[in-house]
Each structure stands twice: as C-alpha cells, then as structure tokens.
Amino acid sequence: MREVVVVGAGLAGVRAGEALRARGFSGALTVVSAEAELPYDRPPLTKQVMAGTLTADDIRLAGVEECDARWVRGTAAVGLDRERRRVRLADGAELAYDGLVVATGARARAWPGEAPAGVLTVRGLDDVRALRARIDGGAREVVVVGAGFVGVELASSLVGLGLGVRVTLVEPFGSPLRVLGGTV
C-alpha cells in the first residue's frame, strides 16, 4: 500500500495510525477530522475540562507525532466512492487511498427537528467550551437530557462548579445508567 486514509481523529483513528507505523507502513498516511482541534481524549470533557481543572492541551492524545501523518482538520468526510477508492470531503476535495480506516466513533443523538435556542449537544471540546461560556456568562439552569455516563458526569460537574447551577437530569428510558442494569 502507498496511501492510507484514516477517517476520524479520535482515539481509534490515532491508534490506527500508530499501529500502521509500528508494523512498518512507510507510505503516505492521511488522517481526516471534522474537528479543527488536534486529537484529544474525550472522557475528561464532561468532568475535568468542564470543571476547569484540565485544559485542551492537557487532554491531547499522545502518539499524534508518532503517526507521521498529514492531518486534514476542520473538514468532515462526507462520501465514499469505493470503486474509485476516494473519500470525498465536505469542501469538495477528494482523497485517494489504497487502504482506508473508518474510525468515526459515535454521534450524539440530535434534537428532533430544529433545536430550540439554547439547546447544545455535548460531544466535543467546542461543545464543552460553549456550555462553559454560557455558565460563565450567568446561565444558572441547565437541563441534561440523557442519564448515561456522559449525562451523569456532566450534571455532576455542573453542580460541582459551586456556582449555583441548578441541573435537571432527564432520562427518557426510565432509569439512569441503564447500561449497568436495574440494580444500580
């Protein structure tokens, strides 16, 4: 192979690039990310980053430099032509590949229809920054929809800020942390 494209610059995408290099791949490696940020670790977002105890620099993924990759940041992959072996980007550019890794991860569930003013999705660093800016700007009531790990962590962090933020946690499926079972 001469050219490998990795779509997704989260943990899986970065580790895929590292693994290719560790196994001797010396060809061109391109990593595509819809986010403009350098790759970062997501779990601290709703805890330490929201609380202000860690910054974006603190959560950067190790191993990015070892990938020796060309980074295409801030442009989402929006299409795939398997016959021509091309990934189409949102800006209209196409990337040729001999090998392709799709490591896009999961998406936050979107608000049905058009989201009302003030509704934010918390999935990435920019989302956490936007929410924190609203809190720092005086917002004192937050409704968190979804009581899985991310929702529970976010609600806890918001209360823990000590700024008098009132948090209502809404779980549409009946019980919080349902992946852990009914006992929890």
Side-chain angles (χ1 to χ4, degrees):
M1 277 191 282
R2 297 177 318 262
E3 173 81 24
V4 172
V5 173
V6 177
V7 178
L11 182 62
V14 170
R15 295 301 178 252
E18 283 180 317
L20 283 163
R21 294 299 189 208
R23 287 172 175 72
F25 176 70
S26 60
L29 176 63
T30 302
V31 181
V32 178
S33 175
E35 291 187 81
E37 298 285 340
L38 287 169
Y40 58 89
D41 195 21
R42 289 186 189 281
L45 289 175
T46 54
K47 299 180 291 272
Q48 295 95 335
V49 174
M50 179 56 68
T53 60
L54 291 179
T55 67
D57 289 336
D58 297 326
I59 63 170
R60 295 282 176 238
L61 284 177
V64 171
E65 295 81 19
E66 290 78 20
C67 287
D68 186 27
R70 175 174 74 121
W71 295 88
V72 177
R73 299 191 328 241
T75 304
V78 296
L80 176 63
D81 183 335
R82 290 176 39 191
E83 287 182 20
R84 292 180 46 236
R85 293 180 161 265
R86 302 272 189 276
V87 173
R88 190 175 70 253
L89 304 180
D91 64 5
E94 289 188 345
L95 301 174
Y97 66 86
D98 297 309
L100 176 67
V101 176
V102 178
T104 54
R107 282 194 176 152
R109 192 172 296 163
W111 187 268
E114 188 175 331
V119 172
L120 301 173
T121 299
V122 176
R123 168 81 174 103
L125 191 53
D126 285 344
D127 302 325
V128 170
R129 286 178 176 144
L131 178 55
R132 184 61 199 241
R134 289 192 184 186
I135 299 300
D136 291 344
R140 292 297 175 257
E141 289 193 41
V142 176
V143 176
V144 176
V145 178
F149 289 111
V150 172
V152 169
E153 289 169 353
L154 180 60
S156 175
S157 294
L158 289 168
V159 170
L161 290 173
L163 298 174
V165 177
R166 180 173 176 235
V167 179
T168 302
L169 185 59
V170 177
E171 173 51 54
F173 297 106
S175 61
L177 300 171
R178 70 182 191 280
V179 298
L180 298 177
T183 303
V184 174

